[in-house]
Amino acid sequence: MAADQWYDKNGVWTGSATILHDGKIVMLYTGSTTEGVQVQNLAYPADHYDPLLVHWVKYPRNPVLVPPPGIGPNDFRDPTTAWLTSEGKWRITIGSKINKTGIALVYDTKDFINYEMLDGLLHAVPGTGMWECVDFFPVSETENNGLETSINGPRVKHVVKASLDDDRHDYYAIGTYNDRNGTWIPDRPNIDVGIGLRYDYGVYYAAKTFYDQNKKRRVLWGWIGESDSEAADVKKGWASVQSIPRTILFDKKTGTHLLQWPVEEIDSLRLKGKEFNQVRIQAGSVVPLDIDSATQLDIIAEFKIDSDALEKATGSSDASFDCATSGGAAERGALGPFGLLVLADERLSEQTPVYFYMTKGSDGNLKTFFCNDQSRSSKASDVDRHIYGSLVPVLRGENLSIRILVDHSIIESFGQGGRAVITSRVYPTKAIYGAAKVFLFNNATELNVTASLKIWQMNSAFIQPYPNL
Amino acid sequence: MTKIISLFILEAVFCFTFFTVSYSDINLIQTTCKKTPFYDLCVLTLKSDPRSSTADVSGLARIVADSVNAKAIATLNQISALLKGVKDPTLEKALEGCIVSYNTIIQADIPVAIDAIEKNNPKFAVQSATDAGNEAQACENSFAEKPSNSPIFSGNKAVHDLSVVLQSIASLLL
């Protein structure tokens, strides 16, 4: 869609599609007007039978929504997919803010042209700033499939997600939706929207979900930006990618987290795989894994640790470990770090560790952190060197598990079945193409670790022109 | 007599008004600069631009953006001059890389930041300012001689630090 009308001249921005009862699609999107005011506009596919929906027709009397009283002209964007209320109306939410409180406004409509704004907000969280790309969807507490956006009921929870403008991260919270008054409350206010869990602890923003009615799954798609300089991006001629799509499920075991997992279609890119069983990694060692090329990989690894060592480890009252402020994979602790080194060269002059780090509190409680360390990922002078990660719940009896998708400069890592996910961009200068390798490592001081893993070479996806374009 | 008195009163009112405008704009400069990591640099840069006396936070951001641009252009000229006489291939490579970085700052980062400030889309200004700082840092990092500084250290530092100031002020507009 081109920015060719006064109501979107300064930008055709984010929009969401809704599938109507008759199977037709409508698109609501934010336009930035000639005056720079954010408004919502309606558009329809020119040809409902075009599988690629290339051409669109804008509703002649746009905009259909303008910032309401009390909302700033630059704080009104990214309408969601609509869902049905019990009264049979369509309902959408739009993120905004009042001073520094992030909010979600609610509108009901029958025709996507005329709207009534509800008096109350869907939800608000002080101090979180502007909520961009708000998403709102149901998840089943019991079933292993996604739910259509309008579903509601007893064993259903609702997720509110917001992209925070102030820190460029995507946050979500699980809670209960009240259809009657269009409000939602979090299950755990201490991890409310914007102050608790994130979809991804690395580079991942403006993510949205959609419901795939064919495979009954809720699919998440996010934007992965670059972590190098714009100068480098201009040189290479492109910037930013969309992540491998992920399915989203409610984590029944913890009840507090969502699980993300790469869509099953990615498995079709697997070429030959190699298994490594019960590889023992002594404390303070690095084990090379002999696979051929290591730039396009799917790695599924499980780590077993000595429960004796966990018992014996002395707890410390220093409960302040955080991946971001730690010394990365080079900082040795009693019970960590250990994991994998990807996009590493033979001499380990460049390496990106993806790993677990366990700590034991003075109360004896174990905490597990899942981190991705970019500090030695590249010799280049213009790349990001931060360490990403977060706490990840590990339940009794669970082994530690990691899945990693490696694709040259993109690493998507899934801890504990997708309970914590970290995406990072790295730009090695030596650990590239044939020189890239994978290693297991254990830099803990008091722990021996045993790893079992399978590593597949990944083919490149076949992107072919769609016939009859 | 009344005329003189009214003139006197008018003058007194005018001076008083002038005084309050001066006081409040310095106050805005101070409170804004306190929210940046380089207070002195921020205050100096803003005070030396006459526009700051009537600027709001958005206007102050614009002034800093213009200052980053000016410093970047000056540093780019310095780099070009150094390239003319360079013999050492390592130094030449670093300088050529810096040309690319500074062209990015001047042709991409600053114009986007200024446009974003004008159109009230501060997040693009924050992003561009962050990149400008990173470009200057990357340029400085690319010189082999450590721990001593590069031949254009003061230019890189000025551009870097001012970019951070710009990023901080633009963040206030989010």
Side-chain angles (χ1 to χ4, degrees):
Chain A
M1 274 201 265
D4 58 9
Q5 302 298 315
W6 70 267
Y7 49 77
D8 59 21
K9 203 83 181 82
N10 270 311
V12 172
W13 292 352
T14 299
S16 297
T18 302
I19 302 178
L20 304 178
H21 302 297
D22 58 4
K24 294 216 167 81
I25 287 177
V26 293
M27 181 70 71
L28 265 183
Y29 71 95
T30 298
S32 181
T33 69
T34 43
E35 306 297 307
V37 177
Q38 291 164 17
V39 299
Q40 316 314 322
N41 302 309
L42 182 60
Y44 308 97
D47 174 7
H48 288 282
Y49 297 107
D50 172 10
L52 296 185
L53 295 176
V54 176
H55 302 292
W56 293 79
V57 175
K58 296 177 184 176
Y59 173 62
R61 285 188 291 283
N62 276 329
V64 294
L65 278 174
V66 298
I71 296 297
N74 298 97
D75 304 329
F76 186 63
R77 55 186 181 269
D78 314 335
T80 62
T81 292
W83 64 94
L84 286 164
T85 67
S86 51
E87 290 179 2
K89 293 186 194 164
W90 290 106
R91 179 168 286 170
I92 61 167
T93 182
I94 303 179
S96 183
K97 68 173 167 112
I98 294 176
N99 296 324
K100 274 295 178 193
T101 297
I103 66 175
L105 303 162
V106 190
Y107 291 85
D108 283 359
T109 180
K110 290 196 179 125
D111 55 9
F112 290 88
I113 295 168
N114 301 291
Y115 294 80
E116 29 170 314
M117 186 171 104
L118 269 58
D119 287 330
L121 302 169
L122 181 72
H123 195 55
V125 181
T128 53
M130 177 68 191
W131 285 9
E132 300 192 293
C133 288
V134 168
D135 199 6
F136 179 73
F137 57 89
V139 288
S140 171
E141 280 186 293
T142 53
E143 306 309 301
N144 289 333
N145 48 261
L147 297 178
E148 201 271 323
T149 314
S150 298
I151 300 283
N152 201 359
R155 303 317 309 271
V156 170
K157 304 245 71 163
H158 279 78
V159 175
V160 171
K161 168 262 170 187
S163 291
L164 294 198
D165 203 8
D166 288 1
D167 71 6
R168 315 295 268 160
H169 297 313
D170 281 1
Y171 291 83
Y172 74 88
I174 303 171
T176 305
Y177 166 58
N178 181 322
D179 176 77
R180 202 78 166 316
N181 45 25
T183 58
W184 171 95
I185 50 170
D187 285 346
R188 283 172 175 69
N190 65 319
I191 47 169
D192 205 341
V193 181
I195 60 172
L197 303 174
R198 284 165 52 178
Y199 273 156
D200 193 300
Y201 293 90
V203 179
Y204 192 82
Y205 195 62
K208 293 288 287 280
T209 65
F210 66 91
Y211 178 65
D212 168 8
Q213 70 267 32
N214 296 324
K215 292 193 176 176
K216 296 197 175 3
R217 48 184 183 173
R218 181 148 294 267
V219 180
L220 175 71
W221 202 299
W223 164 38
I224 308 173
E226 299 291 324
S227 294
D228 62 354
S229 66
E230 271 182 40
D233 300 339
V234 170
K235 254 195 186 157
K236 75 192 187 223
W238 61 271
S240 295
V241 293
Q242 288 291 112
S243 66
I244 300 297
R246 304 169 184 174
T247 53
I248 287 198
L249 286 175
F250 176 73
D251 181 9
K252 287 185 268 191
K253 294 184 186 160
T254 60
T256 51
H257 286 60
L258 291 176
L259 295 174
Q260 296 166 62
W261 199 246
V263 289
E264 61 188 19
E265 285 85 345
I266 192 84
D267 299 0
S268 67
L269 292 180
R270 288 174 174 167
L271 296 167
K272 58 177 176 168
K274 191 166 182 185
E275 266 184 59
F276 301 85
N277 278 314
Q278 316 277 47
V279 180
R280 198 141 170 77
I281 327 167
Q282 312 271 46
S285 66
V286 173
V287 176
L289 294 170
D290 182 23
I291 55 174
D292 296 326
S293 176
T295 48
Q296 293 180 201
L297 301 174
D298 186 356
I299 305 173
I300 294 192
E302 212 173 69
F303 297 86
K304 276 198 181 66
I305 40 192
D306 238 340
S307 49
D308 282 349
L310 291 180
E311 293 289 311
K312 277 197 221 126
T314 43
S316 145
S317 55
D318 175 24
S320 58
F321 181 86
D322 181 18
C323 298
T325 52
S326 72
E331 179 182 310
R332 308 194 67 183
L335 306 173
F338 58 89
L340 288 139
L341 304 177
V342 298
L343 291 172
D345 62 326
E346 196 155 43
R347 286 173 38 235
L348 298 179
S349 68
E350 291 180 336
Q351 50 177 282
T352 304
V354 177
Y355 59 95
F356 289 107
Y357 190 102
M358 302 175 70
T359 62
K360 193 175 193 184
S362 45
D363 55 1
N365 280 335
L366 285 167
K367 278 189 179 162
T368 308
F369 294 84
F370 181 52
C371 318
N372 172 309
D373 178 2
Q374 296 178 126
S375 62
R376 287 170 297 166
S377 60
S378 169
K379 295 282 191 208
S381 60
D382 66 334
V383 300
D384 192 287
R385 303 207 128 79
H386 289 110
I387 301 160
Y388 299 137
S390 85
L391 199 54
V392 59
V394 178
L395 303 176
R396 198 175 295 281
E398 281 183 354
N399 279 329
L400 297 177
S401 69
I402 302 180
R403 181 175 183 182
I404 310 180
L405 293 173
V406 180
D407 188 359
H408 296 273
S409 69
I410 312 163
I411 304 172
E412 292 189 50
S413 306
F414 299 78
Q416 293 312 97
R419 218 173 261 158
V421 188
I422 311 172
T423 300
S424 74
R425 299 298 306 278
V426 296
Y427 309 86
T429 62
K430 300 238 158 34
I432 62 176
Y433 302 116
K437 308 240 172 278
V438 185
F439 299 81
L440 284 165
F441 83 97
N442 176 4
N443 212 15
T445 55
E446 289 169 33
L447 200 65
N448 290 326
V449 177
T450 307
S452 294
L453 53 155
K454 188 151 185 189
I455 306 184
W456 290 268
Q457 301 290 339
M458 294 298 265
N459 206 348
S460 298
F462 294 109
I463 314 284
Q464 290 155 351
Y466 194 85
N468 307 324
L469 204 69
Chain B
M1 184 62 175
T2 34
K3 252 200 195 149
I4 296 171
I5 293 173
S6 2
L7 267 173
F8 182 75
I9 293 170
L10 200 66
E11 212 188 323
V13 167
F14 180 75
C15 285
F16 180 71
T17 314
F18 184 72
F19 178 72
T20 47
V21 166
S22 294
Y23 180 73
S24 71
D25 69 67
I26 284 175
N27 208 12
L28 182 64
I29 293 175
Q30 284 174 346
T31 46
T32 304
C33 288
K34 278 199 182 121
K35 293 171 186 160
T36 77
F38 299 108
Y39 179 80
D40 292 334
L41 175 65
C42 176
V43 170
L44 184 65
T45 304
L46 290 172
K47 275 196 179 163
S48 49
D49 190 309
R51 292 176 291 173
S52 65
S53 60
T54 50
D56 55 8
V57 179
S58 185
L60 296 179
R62 175 58 196 268
I63 292 169
V64 178
D66 287 343
S67 181
V68 176
N69 198 47
K71 285 281 186 312
I73 290 172
T75 310
L76 182 62
N77 290 337
Q78 239 194 311
I79 300 167
S80 303
L82 283 168
L83 258 173
K84 284 210 177 76
V86 73
K87 300 274 189 335
D88 174 2
T90 314
L91 184 59
E92 184 178 14
K93 190 146 177 272
L95 288 169
E96 277 169 356
C98 289
I99 296 269
V100 176
S101 293
Y102 273 87
N103 275 330
T104 303
I105 295 173
I106 295 160
Q107 292 169 25
D109 294 331
I110 295 302
V112 169
I114 289 175
D115 187 63
I117 293 163
E118 271 168 12
K119 298 241 170 80
N120 218 323
N121 294 317
K123 69 173 168 181
F124 297 114
V126 172
Q127 201 171 296
S128 293
T130 307
D131 186 66
N134 288 344
E135 302 286 357
Q137 188 65 61
C139 165
E140 186 60 28
N141 290 349
S142 65
F143 289 85
E145 300 300 308
K146 291 279 173 281
S148 61
N149 300 322
S150 79
I152 45 167
F153 173 74
S154 67
N156 279 335
K157 182 158 172 56
V159 173
H160 171 269
D161 293 356
L162 275 168
S163 296
V164 173
V165 170
L166 175 59
Q167 181 195 336
S168 307
I169 301 180
S171 297
L172 300 174
L173 300 167
L174 281 173

